[in-house]
Amino acid sequence: MENPARTAQHLARVAERRTALRALLGAMLAPHTKVTWELGCGHGHFLTAYAAAHPERICVGIDLVRERIERAERKRVRSQLPNLHFVLAEAFDFLAELPTHVRFEDVFVLFPDPWPKVRHHKNRIMRRDFLAAVAQHALPDTRLCLRTDFTPYFEATRQLLASDPDWAEAEADNAWPFEHETVFQSRAAGYHSLVARRRAAP
């Protein structure tokens, strides 16, 4: 049974969190119109290497775990990369509060939680509502790059993209745009990679 007081407290916390995130992103990205985004950046290994190799790009990584973001921030400081940022944020909060003038150049989702049990599939990030939210900030040639070591998740994502109105698997242009081994990748016996592109407007 729903507890109105508890629900109100939860909604208040969400609103407070989003207000703070809106202010942070507004200040951080005010001068920029395009970013490369990594969802679930972990300790920042991949995006730090990417930002070093692409100094012309503004790179933003997010993660839900504070300790991961703190470690990623230490990497950023040591690397002295002015084009690199790490933010403690949930994906849909980030998408909701991203300044409206900002567009994604590339989006990386590396080894997301596969939520393998059927009853948990609703928790997977590669869902229709996520793809639609990302599309709102996509350029005509934006790439959405997924890498996973869980074959059923990979195949489910391919099936999702086959009928998605905003994204299509880039079968003729499916080269992985940047290689740098992550912690999860080093532990995986094997993995699958997929690149999707924003569909052209009808």
Side-chain angles (χ1 to χ4, degrees):
M1 185 173 181
E2 184 175 338
N3 184 318
R6 185 174 300 170
T7 299
Q9 290 174 355
H10 170 72
L11 293 175
R13 286 194 298 269
V14 170
E16 182 179 2
R17 184 179 72 219
R18 287 197 169 189
T19 298
L21 181 60
R22 185 184 314 129
L24 173 64
L25 294 177
M28 177 188 296
L29 301 176
H32 309 295
T33 58
K34 295 187 290 187
V35 301
T36 293
W37 181 40
E38 184 185 3
L39 166 60
C41 63
H43 299 156
H45 296 94
F46 177 85
L47 200 60
T48 299
Y50 185 96
H54 300 84
E56 77 286 358
R57 289 195 170 201
I58 303 302
C59 302
V60 181
I62 70 166
D63 205 284
L64 280 171
V65 181
R66 184 176 301 276
E67 183 268 341
R68 294 174 184 167
I69 291 296
E70 289 172 349
R71 291 184 63 172
E73 268 291 293
R74 290 196 289 270
K75 286 186 178 66
R76 183 190 66 80
V77 171
R78 288 195 301 269
S79 301
Q80 297 183 340
L81 294 170
N83 61 323
L84 177 62
H85 306 277
F86 292 106
V87 178
L88 181 69
E90 188 271 341
F92 283 95
D93 284 354
F94 180 87
L95 289 165
E97 304 306 334
L98 190 67
T100 56
H101 71 278
V102 175
R103 294 291 179 266
F104 295 128
E105 292 189 275
D106 286 324
V107 176
F108 290 96
V109 184
L110 306 181
F111 299 93
D113 191 327
W115 293 100
K117 294 182 180 179
V118 172
R119 68 177 182 273
H120 294 154
H121 284 186
K122 64 183 182 294
N123 297 322
R124 290 177 173 178
I125 193 61
M126 298 301 288
R127 308 190 312 257
R128 173 71 198 109
D129 55 346
F130 172 75
L131 294 175
V134 175
Q136 294 299 310
H137 288 277
L139 294 164
D141 59 347
T142 295
R143 291 178 294 193
L144 175 59
C145 308
L146 169 74
R147 181 165 279 178
T148 177
D149 60 343
F150 190 61
T151 300
Y153 195 2
F154 175 75
E155 295 298 341
T157 302
R158 295 190 74 186
Q159 292 176 17
L160 176 65
L161 291 170
S163 60
D164 190 86
D166 297 313
W167 299 92
E169 186 175 356
E171 296 179 0
D173 182 24
N174 209 17
W176 192 254
F178 183 75
E179 284 292 350
H180 184 80
E181 189 175 67
T182 68
V183 173
F184 282 108
Q185 186 170 319
S186 69
R187 296 171 179 169
Y191 55 84
H192 308 278
S193 303
L194 180 153
V195 177
R197 286 209 184 251
R198 183 74 163 88
R199 290 186 190 272

